[in-house]
Amino acid sequence: VYNAAPAWGVTVGDALGVPDPVLTQHQHQHQGQTFSFLGIRVSSPLSLVVNGRRPPGSALAPPRLALSNPSAPL
C-alpha cells in the first residue's frame, strides 16, 4: 500500500474495501522477458476500509522532503 506507514499494513485474510479505485495495466520488459500486471491505486491508505473500519491516522506515512541541487559542486 503506497504512502502507508511502515508499522501499518493489511494481512492475509483481512477484508479490504477499496472506494474509488484506479485500475492500471503495467507492462515492463527486462532481459527479454515481459512482465504484465494490474495495479490498483487509491488516493490514500486512509480511504481504505479494513475489516469494516477505516485505518487510524497513524497508518499514513509522514511526509518527506527531498532536495537536490544538480548545479552544486561535488
Side-chain angles (χ1 to χ4, degrees):
V1 177
Y2 295 108
N3 296 322
W8 181 85
V10 294
T11 59
V12 173
D14 282 347
L16 185 64
V18 183
D20 301 321
V22 176
L23 184 66
T24 306
Q25 174 75 41
H26 298 270
Q27 288 188 337
H28 302 278
Q29 292 186 352
H30 179 69
Q31 296 182 348
Q33 291 185 315
T34 299
F35 300 92
S36 179
F37 59 93
L38 294 173
I40 299 174
R41 291 201 71 143
V42 294
S43 59
S44 165
L46 300 181
S47 67
L48 298 173
V49 178
V50 182
N51 298 324
R53 298 185 186 139
R54 295 270 183 196
S58 61
L60 187 60
R64 292 184 304 168
L65 177 63
L67 301 174
S68 66
N69 185 352
S71 62
L74 297 176

